[in-house]
């Protein structure tokens, strides 16, 4: 099984090296590609030094566009599994084998903070938002999801193809689940530990969270309403 | 001079400007069609005062030229919507091009390393 880990990174020079080193330590057989989304710091150099393949976008295209670049790369190089992980160290590499182990029962495996008791703690507002999206997605897909905003995921070829064709642009996590369900993919969650981010600040402010909630809700509803496949990005 | 003759004049000048822009290839034919349609409509309405007044009567508008503004405004909305559709399409295309270039650059680098 050819496995690729996709790490989208935007100005993550301080944490990226450690993230790559951890992956190499716990799962030495996987390939790692860092999608450097127009960083203005030394992310590219740090990632290369740590031994990852680096794709550098000429300017910042946002998380969705960057992530999709990773999936396009996975498709181009015919990987069997593509795992997406954050560059800030939130997703511990020692949990990676758990995701990979569940690949034979689903097309997309999501590492969830809430399936089992995990030590992850977050602010109240954030919890409320997460519960809201879990309920929304569970209602629309008629399946139970506990952590729809988790960006720790493993995808097989079917999903790689779907994501290469279409991937939501900003705040993609929630919509990308509904999109897969619309395309007949099996999605499961497995419980994983997550850490506090190792460096950098969360980009969430009150206005942005309001925008986030509204935008994602709209996108998810629209995605659920689309009867057929979503129009490709091109 | 009444508002009708002024707007007739404006619509003629407007149409000429559009045609000239297309001739100089500053405006794509595709996008000019909307403008030409608007110019022609404006011309017809301004030229044919009776038509506008009959419309106004049907719609129970007391001040007929107000209909001109209404049409103008509605057209602006339609055009802006059209523009945002074009922008959406363009930004999708730009993104895909950016991604393809990035992948190609990556491949090139790999080849260089292998050589």
């Amino acid at each position: 099984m050819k496995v690729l880990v996709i790490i989208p990174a935007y100005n993550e020079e301080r944490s990226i090296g450690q993230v790559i080193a951890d992956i190499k330590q716990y799962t030495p057989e996987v390939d790692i590609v860092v999608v450097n989304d127009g960083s203005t710091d030394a992310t590219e150099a740090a990632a290369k030094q740590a031994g990852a393949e680096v794709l550098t976008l000429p300017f910042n295209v946002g998380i969705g566009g960057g992530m999709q670049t990773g999936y396009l790369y996975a498709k181009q190089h015919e990987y069997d599994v593509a795992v997406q992980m954050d560059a800030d160290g939130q997703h511990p590499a020692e949990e990676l084998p758990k995701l990979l182990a569940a690949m034979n029962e689903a097309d997309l495996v999501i590492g969830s903070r809430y399936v089992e008791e995990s030590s992850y703690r977050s602010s109240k507002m954030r919890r409320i938002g997460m519960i809201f999206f879990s309920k929304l997605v569970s209602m629309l897909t008629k399946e139970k999801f506990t952590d729809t905003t988790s960006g720790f995921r493993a995808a097989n070829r079917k999903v790689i193809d779907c994501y290469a064709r279409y991937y939501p642009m900003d705040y993609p996590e929630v919509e990308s689940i509904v999109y897969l369900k619309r395309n007949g993919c099996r999605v499961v969650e497995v419980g994983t530990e997550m850490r506090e981010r190792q460096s950098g600040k969360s980009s969430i402010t009150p206005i942005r969270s309001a925008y986030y909630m509204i935008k994602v809700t709209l996108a998810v509803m629209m995605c659920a309403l689309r009867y057929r496949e979503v129009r490709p990005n091109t | 001079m009444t508002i009708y003759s002024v707007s007739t004049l404006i619509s003629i000048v407007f149409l000429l400007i559009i045609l000239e822009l297309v001739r100089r290839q500053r405006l794509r034919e595709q996008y000019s069609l909307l403008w030409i349609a608007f110019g022609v409509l404006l011309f017809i309405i301004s030229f044919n005062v009776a038509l506008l007044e009959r419309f106004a009567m049907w719609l129970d508008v007391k001040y007929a030229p107000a209909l001109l503004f209404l049409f103008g405004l509605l057209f602006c909305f339609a055009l802006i919507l059209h523009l945002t559709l074009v922008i959406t399409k363009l930004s999708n295309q730009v993104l895909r091009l950016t991604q393809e270039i990035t992948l190609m650059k990556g491949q090139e680098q790999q080849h260089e390393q292998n050589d």
Side-chain angles (χ1 to χ4, degrees):
Chain A
M1 197 166 70
K2 236 174 116 188
V3 180
L4 175 73
V5 175
I6 304 167
I7 308 173
Y10 176 57
N11 293 345
E12 304 275 10
E13 61 179 0
R14 285 192 295 169
S15 54
I16 190 85
Q18 189 57 45
V19 170
I20 295 166
D22 280 354
I23 298 170
K24 284 187 180 276
Q25 185 191 339
Y26 288 100
T27 47
E29 71 280 6
V30 304
D31 293 341
I32 303 169
V33 66
V34 172
V35 182
N36 171 26
D37 191 3
S39 297
T40 49
D41 66 358
T43 299
E44 182 172 10
K48 276 196 177 138
Q49 174 136 43
E53 181 71 24
V54 181
L55 295 173
T56 294
L57 287 151
F59 45 82
N60 186 267
V61 299
I63 179 65
M67 190 61 86
Q68 193 181 38
T69 310
Y71 280 109
L72 288 167
Y73 180 89
K75 187 179 168 160
Q76 194 178 44
H77 293 81
E78 298 180 326
Y79 280 95
D80 300 304
V81 175
V83 181
Q84 55 179 74
M85 274 174 89
D86 283 0
D88 60 11
Q90 272 193 73
H91 305 144
E94 57 262 40
E95 301 284 83
L96 226 163
K98 270 198 208 168
L99 293 192
L100 297 177
M103 281 315 290
N104 45 14
E105 44 186 289
D107 298 313
L108 182 79
V109 178
I110 303 173
S112 166
R113 280 155 278 197
Y114 306 120
V115 166
E116 298 156 17
E117 197 59 34
S118 91
S119 58
Y120 186 85
R121 291 288 169 267
S122 55
S123 72
K124 203 172 173 189
M125 274 312 290
R126 214 183 149 120
R127 278 302 290 241
I128 292 171
M130 284 174 161
I131 290 168
F132 171 72
F133 285 128
S134 300
K135 292 261 184 281
L136 181 70
V137 172
S138 303
M139 194 182 80
L140 291 171
T141 60
K142 300 180 181 70
E143 250 177 69
K144 193 171 151 44
F145 289 101
T146 58
D147 194 357
T148 52
T149 55
S150 160
F152 191 24
R153 301 170 172 197
N156 70 5
R157 275 172 187 250
K158 186 175 177 187
V159 174
I160 292 172
D161 272 358
C162 284
Y163 282 167
R165 214 164 47 235
Y166 171 81
Y167 198 75
M169 282 305 107
D170 41 5
Y171 311 126
E173 292 85 6
V174 185
E175 188 191 342
S176 60
I177 295 176
V178 181
Y179 164 66
L180 287 188
K181 293 306 298 176
R182 283 275 119 184
N183 282 277
C185 296
R186 295 165 303 158
V187 182
V188 299
E189 289 184 327
V190 295
T192 53
E193 275 294 328
M194 285 198 200
R195 290 193 291 249
E196 294 294 315
R197 56 175 58 242
Q198 304 295 295
S199 79
K201 274 199 315 234
S202 170
S203 56
I204 294 171
T205 66
I207 294 169
R208 278 202 201 161
S209 345
Y211 170 73
Y212 175 93
M213 297 289 286
I214 294 168
K215 192 258 158 188
V216 173
T217 307
L218 178 70
V220 166
M221 306 272 242
M222 287 297 155
C223 192
L225 281 174
R226 277 174 207 132
Y227 187 63
R228 273 162 203 273
E229 276 180 21
V230 181
R231 184 188 270 263
N233 278 136
T234 40
Chain B
M1 227 159 58
T2 62
I3 179 69
Y4 298 110
S5 47
V6 171
S7 57
T8 308
L9 198 71
I10 289 174
S11 62
I12 290 170
V13 172
F14 184 79
L15 270 173
L16 288 177
I17 290 173
I18 297 298
L19 292 174
E20 179 61 14
L21 284 173
V22 177
R23 195 186 68 83
R24 290 193 194 175
Q25 295 184 315
R26 296 266 299 275
L27 180 65
R28 269 219 217 174
E29 288 84 351
Q30 186 190 346
Y31 301 129
S32 73
L33 284 177
L34 252 171
W35 285 115
I36 291 173
F38 173 64
V40 170
L41 192 74
L42 193 70
F43 180 75
I44 294 172
I45 294 174
S46 326
F47 189 72
N48 197 337
V49 181
L51 190 74
L52 187 70
E53 277 170 348
R54 202 172 327 140
F55 258 130
M57 219 167 64
W58 283 343
L59 296 171
D60 205 20
V61 175
K62 302 283 184 289
Y63 177 62
L67 265 188
L68 278 181
F69 296 118
L70 179 67
F71 284 132
L73 201 64
L74 288 180
F75 174 80
C76 286
F77 287 151
L79 189 88
I80 293 166
L81 180 65
H82 172 76
L83 288 180
T84 45
L85 293 180
V86 174
I87 290 173
T88 303
K89 189 175 148 202
L90 283 177
S91 49
N92 281 338
Q93 287 173 337
V94 168
L95 175 66
R96 186 44 67 99
L97 280 175
T98 312
Q99 292 173 327
E100 302 250 325
I101 286 178
T102 304
L103 290 172
M104 277 162 67
K105 254 179 14 194
Q107 236 170 6
E108 205 179 343
Q109 271 176 8
Q110 248 178 352
H111 281 306
E112 274 168 23
Q113 276 166 15
N114 292 344
D115 287 343

